[in-house]
Amino acid sequence: MTWSKLKETIESHDSFILSSHVNPDGDCICSQLALYWYICSLGKQAVIFNTNPVPSKFHFLENSDKIVTDHPSKKFDVLVILDASNPGRIGWEGYEEIASYIVNIDHHKDNSRFGHLNIINCDAAATSLMLYEFFQACSISYPSSIAETIYAGILTDTGGFAFSNTDKEVLRICAGLAELGADCSEIYRKIYSSYSTQGLKLRAKIWSTLKLYHNNRICSMEISTEQIDNLGIFYGDIEGMSDQALIGSDVEVGLFIKYSEDTTHFSLRSKGTVDVGKIAQAIPGGGGHTCAAGCTIDLPLDKAIEKMLAMIKEKLG
Ligand code: 5GP
Ligand code: MN
């Protein structure tokens, strides 16, 4: 029903702008590229605009070089926001003016349904998987490059098929994508074994900040935005550190912290005993999923950690 509405919307308009959340991750980029491919395949005009650039590890994806970070000056018929639960997440102003019709395709449970057409599936492991469903539902066949793109989006949003959102349906869909030409080991290598030398050195520094709290049940690692800026590090170089914060056998909640003088951003991960999405949502502007979420606390590092640890400990008991 909603998928046919999306198809109709695309068919009945000419120009589209696609956007996603700040610091776009694999799922943002892949879901955008999949939809971009479809719109372009109909001979229509599409622009992908994100606040932050594509991390280099995703440069192998077809058309990733078409994604722009300069705010387009022209207007479009339709704005499609993918993988972002509310307008604040896109990180740019004037979204209501850039197009007269807004579509939101997302899988975050805290989605505020801000579009004219909202296609929200909180049970979907990834927004990219929702694009797979769109193509299936509307019998749209696509080339192997798009199978690869959708596969990469699902791979990254399931933490390499490690998070609890990985189930037999996800694996079945991915097997289908492999049959359509997605090269699983090649995609894994390109995304997960592709850090720059500078990125590796930075990771070593981040590892050295590791701290354990609450009987080793909470683990944190941190980096200042000043270090990120000084080293010219891209988001892609530090992405995944939050997953690393969770690898200790006793650890139930992992934190990766990016801090400046008076604001502290937390990337939260959980093995499932605690719903970190709920914790993040308790902070204004925060949100995410049960096992992966994020929020910014407007306090300096020490005070922010204190506040975050108190919230987690309350849930852990
Ligand atoms: P990551 O830790 O990988 O950046 O993000 C994990 C999940 O939490 C993603 O679904 C992401 O969209 C969400 N997330 C991360 N930071 C924030 C934030 O500051 N606000 C909201 N609403 N969601 C966030
Ligand atoms: Mn996602």
Side-chain angles (χ1 to χ4, degrees), residues 20-21 25-28 31 82-84 106-108 124-128 153 156-158 165 289:
S20 194
H21 66 68
D25 58 22
D27 191 30
C28 296
S31 57
L82 298 113
D83 202 37
D106 184 36
H107 69 135
H108 289 91
T127 304
S128 303
T156 50
D157 245 34
T158 56
N165 58 358
H289 309 287

Side-chain angles (χ1 to χ4, degrees), residues 148-178:
E148 170 179 75
T149 298
I150 295 173
Y151 181 94
I154 299 173
L155 179 75
T156 50
D157 245 34
T158 56
F161 303 122
F163 297 160
S164 58
N165 58 358
T166 309
D167 58 20
K168 55 189 180 202
E169 188 53 21
V170 167
L171 295 173
R172 232 178 252 130
I173 287 170
C174 287
L177 294 168

Side-chain angles (χ1 to χ4, degrees), residues 6-14 16 34-46 134-135 140-141:
L6 176 67
K7 190 161 178 277
E8 273 166 40
T9 303
I10 295 172
E11 282 168 353
S12 58
H13 293 88
D14 293 320
F16 300 81
L35 188 61
Y36 175 86
W37 165 81
Y38 175 61
I39 295 169
C40 293
S41 77
L42 300 178
K44 292 170 187 280
Q45 190 214 339
F134 170 50
F135 293 157
I140 296 163
S141 50

Side-chain angles (χ1 to χ4, degrees), residues 189-239:
R189 187 186 60 72
K190 283 177 175 158
I191 295 176
Y192 292 109
S193 309
S194 63
Y195 295 102
S196 65
T197 305
Q198 206 178 14
L200 277 180
K201 288 180 180 165
L202 181 74
R203 281 175 169 254
K205 279 203 184 103
I206 296 171
W207 270 110
S208 72
T209 68
L210 186 143
K211 292 182 197 74
L212 293 161
Y213 304 93
H214 203 51
N215 220 3
N216 306 332
R217 295 169 76 192
I218 307 171
C219 175
S220 80
M221 288 192 265
E222 68 206 31
I223 186 169
S224 68
T225 48
E226 197 184 350
Q227 270 177 300
I228 295 176
D229 293 344
N230 286 347
L231 290 164
I233 291 297
F234 282 118
Y235 171 73
D237 282 324
I238 51 173
E239 199 200 3

